[in-house]
Amino acid sequence: MAPMLAALALLALISVSEQGPHEKRLLNSLLNSYNTLERPVANESEPLEVKFGLTLQQIIDVDEKNQILTTNVWLNLEWNDYNLRWNDSDYGGVKDLRITPNKLWKPDVLMYNSADEGFDGTYQTNVVVRNNGSCLYVPPGIFKSTCKIDITWFPFDDQHCDMKFGSWTYDGNQLDLVLKDEAGGDLSDFITNGEWYLIGMPGKKNTITYACCPEPYVDVTFTIMIRRRTLYYFFNLIVPCVLISSMALLGFTLPPDSGEKLTLGTYFNCIMFMVASSVVLTVVVLNYHHRTADIHEMPQWIKTVFLQWLPWILRMSRPGKKITRKTIMMSNRMRELELKERSSKSLLANVLDIDDDFRHVPPPPNSTASTGNLGPGCSIFRTDFRRSFVRPSTMEDVGGGLGSHHRELHLILRELQFITARMKKADEEAELISDWKFAAMVVDRFCLFVFTLFTIIATVAVLLSAPHIIVQ
Ligand SMILES: *[C@@H]1O[C@H](CO)[C@@H](O)[C@H](O)[C@H]1NC(C)=O
Ligand SMILES: *[C@@H]1O[C@H](CO)[C@@H](O)[C@H](O)[C@H]1NC(C)=O
Ligand SMILES: *[C@@H]1O[C@H](CO)[C@@H](O)[C@H](O)[C@H]1NC(C)=O
Ligand SMILES: *[C@@H]1O[C@H](CO)[C@@H](O)[C@H](O)[C@H]1NC(C)=O
């Protein structure tokens, strides 16, 4: 009984302690005659099938400027090496081994559109070899892939970044890449990105036969489809822009006297184009507003555009002056009449038959000459007028002759004309200043309309033309 127990215990001990030597023996028998350069196929004329998969762990960076996508990815390569098969019962039940990749043949699959300094960014992990010859190689890596980034619709943009994998040296007749999962990459471990929403990662096998050579070339291309999360940009870019542009519009509603227009206009440099043009127009408005008659005359086109047609279009009115099509026509007619009138003599000069022009003082006229010019119908009025008009100033020398009367009348007329001219000029100046102010107001109102329209149209157009506004 005792020897039997001892033998059993020894057997158990041996079976446990022999696990290490079995693996060593197995490795020796497998790798002693193994050549890492040999393509491990039983029939040389048949391709070696490599199942290829990809697990996306994380999108690390999307570099729009350099057009580089940086990702954390695990590759997944599976193939069958006919040189690495053994009967596990011959080796103490050892069913699988982990062997460093440089001791084995492994497919030279690389990412074609790599932008990495070392080109291949994978970490060389062990290959898991099973006793039926199947090899599983899962190298993790930080991949930098080139990606054509199109930011036309920023921040409402989608980006499609390809990762093209293929054997660098073997053609399709020697090494056949097969998609491990037809649906594409494995996204079960994906860590969501704060800036990008992952739409999907489809994979596709491409077999291309070039004109030069008969053999096909195989690659597997995964497309990382990402969409920018707009919420961040919505609150940090779009909302402030809209707010600032609406504030810039408010600048046109300020009265020019408050003096804040320019400050307000220059403050918002965010929407450069709009603010720049609004500043220019505000300068024009202020310039118009502060113009005086001494320095500036109002050209006729400004009168026509800013005092007549624009206010009519914008439905603006001035106190005591309604602007309609009719009044515009009428004022134009009036202007023509006024020009005609100005070229003729003044009423008083006409009545007294005196030259309006004072540049040369006429010789004291003879009594006969002055009476002779007017018709007989006017003579009564004239004498009456003269008597009443002349008497107060020339009371004592009524009988002094009509010549001296006439001279004094002439002087009075001159004084009167001087005074009325001054008053007229003051009136005209005041009117011109108010015209300029009104023109400034019209420009302001016009800007308010145009810029409001521009802002609304631009905002709506930009928002509507984007392929999508909200993710999903
Ligand atoms: C190898 O494969 C080719 C094509 O599949 C076949 O014609 C040939 O008979 C195979 N050779 C052996 C030794 O099995
Ligand atoms: C493995 O070896 C054992 C005994 O050495 C044998 O019985 C078995 O059939 C072999 N299995 C295979 C798949 O060759
Ligand atoms: C090898 O064995 C593993 C499990 O032991 C199995 O999943 C795999 O399909 C087998 N491969 C082949 C080529 O038989
Ligand atoms: C008018 O007066 C001028 C000189 O003052 C004189 O030479 C002329 O003859 C006078 N004419 C008449 C019609 O009396």
Side-chain angles (χ1 to χ4, degrees):
M1 196 65 185
M4 228 183 128
L5 269 171
L8 264 172
L10 198 75
L11 235 163
L13 216 126
I14 285 166
S15 68
V16 168
S17 62
E18 269 183 355
Q19 198 73 351
H22 280 313
E23 196 167 322
K24 183 177 175 182
R25 192 158 53 87
L26 174 59
L27 282 170
N28 280 340
S29 79
L30 285 177
L31 301 179
N32 268 354
S33 61
Y34 191 91
N35 191 334
T36 57
L37 302 178
E38 179 201 339
R39 188 166 59 94
V41 280
N43 184 344
E44 303 272 79
S45 51
E46 283 190 350
L48 175 70
E49 191 179 84
V50 176
K51 285 181 184 164
F52 185 81
L54 197 146
T55 307
L56 183 65
Q57 295 288 327
Q58 193 186 356
I59 292 169
I60 296 169
D61 184 37
V62 180
D63 186 347
E64 285 98 340
K65 191 164 142 269
N66 296 316
Q67 311 227 56
I68 289 174
L69 171 75
T70 310
T71 45
N72 183 355
V73 164
W74 294 1
L75 301 186
N76 192 312
L77 295 121
E78 209 177 331
W79 69 96
N80 199 289
D81 190 332
Y82 96 111
N83 289 322
L84 300 173
R85 286 174 181 167
W86 68 93
N87 188 336
D88 58 302
S89 49
D90 292 346
Y91 294 96
V94 177
K95 280 197 160 68
D96 45 33
L97 295 169
R98 275 92 183 139
I99 305 171
T100 55
N102 54 13
K103 291 260 197 303
L104 300 178
W105 178 92
K106 68 176 174 61
D108 59 343
V109 171
L110 290 174
M111 184 167 72
Y112 276 62
N113 59 327
S114 176
D116 200 278
E117 292 92 350
F119 200 76
D120 185 17
T122 55
Y123 179 77
Q124 311 267 305
T125 55
N126 282 345
V127 181
V128 178
V129 184
R130 296 199 182 280
N131 63 335
N132 60 6
S134 90
C135 298
L136 179 67
Y137 179 46
V138 185
I142 307 294
F143 284 82
K144 283 186 177 175
S145 54
T146 57
C147 176
K148 195 172 178 296
I149 290 172
D150 178 13
I151 52 163
T152 309
W153 298 113
F154 176 87
F156 305 110
D157 51 337
D158 281 3
Q159 301 300 340
H160 294 179
C161 289
D162 285 344
M163 293 175 95
K164 180 182 172 184
F165 292 92
S167 168
W168 200 257
T169 52
Y170 289 111
D171 61 52
N173 289 334
Q174 294 163 319
L175 193 150
D176 189 20
L177 274 182
V178 178
L179 265 176
K180 192 168 192 156
D181 184 0
E182 285 299 324
D186 181 3
L187 304 173
S188 50
D189 289 339
F190 182 68
I191 301 165
T192 53
N193 186 286
E195 202 188 337
W196 296 90
Y197 165 77
L198 183 68
I199 301 169
M201 192 180 177
K204 192 169 172 278
K205 177 184 169 173
N206 303 302
T207 308
I208 302 164
T209 309
Y210 293 103
C212 69
C213 335
E215 56 272 0
Y217 285 88
V218 179
D219 71 75
V220 168
T221 302
F222 289 93
T223 308
I224 297 179
M225 290 157 79
I226 48 176
R227 176 167 293 174
R228 201 186 292 273
R229 293 185 192 272
T230 44
L231 205 66
Y232 170 83
Y233 292 99
F234 197 76
F235 283 110
N236 290 285
L237 218 72
I238 297 170
V239 169
C241 272
V242 169
L243 284 179
I244 286 167
S245 58
S246 52
M247 283 160 91
L249 292 180
L250 287 179
F252 288 114
T253 62
L254 277 183
D257 284 330
S258 67
E260 299 293 341
K261 290 174 76 71
L262 204 63
T263 334
L264 197 67
T266 46
Y267 192 69
F268 311 115
N269 58 358
C270 196
I271 35 164
M272 284 305 275
F273 168 73
M274 229 178 99
V275 171
S277 43
S278 89
V279 168
V280 169
L281 286 164
T282 306
V283 169
V284 170
V285 167
L286 281 177
N287 192 335
Y288 275 17
H289 186 80
H290 292 293
R291 277 189 183 192
T292 54
D294 315 335
I295 308 160
H296 291 101
E297 266 190 34
M298 191 177 251
Q300 190 52 45
W301 71 269
I302 289 184
K303 267 188 200 163
T304 316
V305 173
F306 291 119
L307 298 186
Q308 295 179 343
W309 294 109
L310 262 183
W312 175 59
I313 291 165
L314 298 172
R315 304 248 162 261
M316 292 174 80
S317 60
R318 299 170 75 170
K321 278 187 197 172
K322 241 177 118 183
I323 297 164
T324 59
R325 245 181 91 89
K326 225 182 229 169
T327 57
I328 292 170
M329 292 299 179
M330 227 144 87
S331 72
N332 283 349
R333 186 75 49 78
M334 291 270 278
R335 190 164 50 81
E336 274 168 31
L337 281 174
E338 208 173 273
L339 279 178
K340 229 177 249 171
E341 198 181 296
R342 216 171 268 172
S343 63
S344 59
K345 282 192 197 175
S346 72
L347 182 67
L348 192 61
N350 218 349
V351 165
L352 294 175
D353 191 25
I354 300 168
D355 199 346
D356 241 351
D357 194 1
F358 289 105
R359 274 171 303 188
H360 56 89
V361 180
N366 304 1
S367 57
T368 41
S370 58
T371 41
N373 270 3
L374 277 170
C378 281
S379 60
I380 298 165
F381 159 73
R382 170 178 271 192
T383 39
D384 279 348
F385 169 78
R386 270 189 186 162
R387 207 167 286 148
S388 58
F389 187 74
V390 168
R391 195 165 284 149
S393 57
T394 54
M395 204 52 134
E396 49 274 18
D397 61 352
V398 175
L402 280 173
S404 59
H405 288 162
H406 206 279
R407 193 180 170 78
E408 269 171 56
L409 265 176
H410 199 274
L411 288 171
I412 289 160
L413 175 62
R414 212 160 136 188
E415 289 296 317
L416 267 176
Q417 270 177 337
F418 182 73
I419 291 162
T420 49
R422 272 205 85 128
M423 281 169 76
K424 227 185 223 171
K425 202 174 165 222
D427 272 0
E428 271 169 10
E429 272 178 13
E431 196 172 344
L432 199 58
I433 287 171
S434 102
D435 275 1
W436 278 118
K437 286 195 178 184
F438 185 68
M441 228 168 93
V442 169
V443 173
D444 247 7
R445 185 66 59 90
F446 180 67
C447 289
L448 180 67
F449 271 87
V450 169
F451 277 65
T452 307
L453 222 76
F454 175 81
T455 311
I456 290 170
I457 289 171
T459 311
V460 169
V462 166
L463 286 178
L464 288 187
S465 61
H468 58 87
I469 293 170
I470 299 155
V471 171
Q472 280 168 331

